[in-house]
Amino acid sequence: MKKFALALILCSMLTCSAFSCGSSEKNSSAKESSPAVTEITAESSSEPATTTLGPKAAEMMEKAKSNLKKSLEKAKNEHSAQLHNTDEMDTEANKVVRQFAEAVFSDDAEAMAQAMYPPKMLEGMKACGEYDSFSESVNDGETMPLTSLTVRYCVRLKDDEKALAESYINFFAKEYGLSSNEYTVTEGYSFMADMESREDGSVRSDAEGLIIINIANEGWKIIPISLSELTK
């Protein structure tokens, strides 16, 4: 089976340079020092000394344990709610998701690019020669019919996430000869796409985290990476 993720490698090959790669500073080694050790001996007994908490200290310890348990439980519940809290995707956006998935499974490079980029960006992609290598990588002759597509965990993008998505699309716009503030993202969703193909009696499935954004005056376009990849 041709993995969906492999078909997207070229789509997002410049993402690293724009959003993922960065320099990290190494901390200098701290000078080693030996901690002072205080030896306590008891003349009357060879048994080690033991410490017993007083009533007030013991009560404070129990409260701390209880508060930690409540905090962990709250975090667990919030995480579970976030995973299952989904928004309904715009109808037109849903159509673009299906167009993109069908294009990937059928090796249709033109349809894939149209689902990701506005017309002027696609023209720029072709003008600079990027489209030819993209098309060659996509059209590997291994086509499969998309028989099922389910969108799960669809969540509307927050303002800061929309800003990142806008930076992403404008990064590519500049790469293809346009302005670095060419496009404005008005809304968007992150989601999980479950895809299935039935062919010759066998069932093939895949799942990918993706993003779809609405670009002012351009419509819905796919960003072929997950929200976690966009924001890291």
Side-chain angles (χ1 to χ4, degrees):
M1 173 188 178
K2 176 172 63 178
K3 293 289 288 180
F4 187 82
L6 294 180
L8 299 183
I9 290 176
L10 190 57
C11 303
S12 54
M13 64 183 180
L14 297 179
T15 304
C16 179
S17 62
F19 297 97
S20 300
C21 297
S23 60
S24 59
E25 297 182 357
K26 294 183 179 179
N27 295 327
S28 58
S29 301
K31 293 182 179 180
E32 295 183 0
S33 59
S34 301
V37 178
T38 302
E39 184 179 356
I40 301 176
T41 59
E43 295 180 359
S44 59
S45 174
S46 59
E47 295 294 325
T50 58
T51 302
T52 303
L53 293 176
K56 188 173 182 180
E59 181 182 357
M60 292 176 65
M61 180 66 73
E62 288 302 316
K63 284 184 177 180
K65 289 180 179 179
S66 177
N67 289 337
L68 177 59
K69 183 178 180 181
K70 289 178 181 178
S71 296
L72 291 174
E73 192 66 28
K74 181 180 179 182
K76 180 180 178 181
N77 292 337
E78 287 178 348
H79 178 66
S80 178
Q82 184 179 18
L83 285 178
H84 294 87
N85 180 26
T86 60
D87 296 317
E88 185 175 355
M89 183 177 286
D90 180 272
T91 302
E92 291 303 314
N94 213 310
K95 290 179 181 178
V96 174
V97 172
R98 175 166 288 279
Q99 173 193 343
F100 182 72
E102 289 177 343
V104 170
F105 275 71
S106 63
D107 286 353
D108 190 337
E110 184 73 15
M112 283 179 65
Q114 289 175 356
M116 292 189 296
Y117 302 135
K120 287 170 64 176
M121 279 187 67
L122 184 52
E123 289 175 8
M125 185 183 187
K126 292 178 178 179
C128 72
E130 287 284 344
Y131 182 83
D132 291 338
S133 57
F134 166 71
S135 180
E136 289 174 5
S137 297
V138 169
N139 296 319
D140 59 3
E142 187 182 350
T143 63
M144 298 181 297
L146 178 69
T147 55
S148 175
L149 172 64
T150 303
V151 172
R152 298 185 297 119
Y153 302 148
C154 176
V155 179
R156 192 178 297 275
L157 297 184
K158 296 181 288 188
D159 288 344
D160 58 333
E161 295 164 346
K162 284 192 297 182
L164 280 173
E166 187 172 297
S167 296
Y168 175 97
I169 197 68
N170 280 322
F171 168 80
F172 282 97
K174 186 176 181 181
E175 288 291 308
Y176 298 146
L178 303 177
S179 168
S180 59
N181 59 354
E182 185 78 20
Y183 300 109
T184 300
V185 174
T186 59
E187 58 182 323
Y189 303 92
S190 64
F191 62 97
M192 179 69 69
D194 289 341
M195 292 147 288
E196 183 177 271
S197 174
R198 294 179 178 270
E199 188 175 42
D200 298 329
S202 62
V203 179
R204 303 168 181 179
S205 60
D206 203 353
E208 289 294 333
L210 300 169
I211 298 169
I212 187 164
I213 54 174
N214 193 5
I215 302 175
N217 303 316
E218 300 290 349
W220 292 96
K221 299 298 175 184
I222 291 285
I223 293 181
I225 57 176
S226 68
L227 182 60
S228 61
E229 291 172 311
L230 180 69
T231 58
K232 70 182 179 181

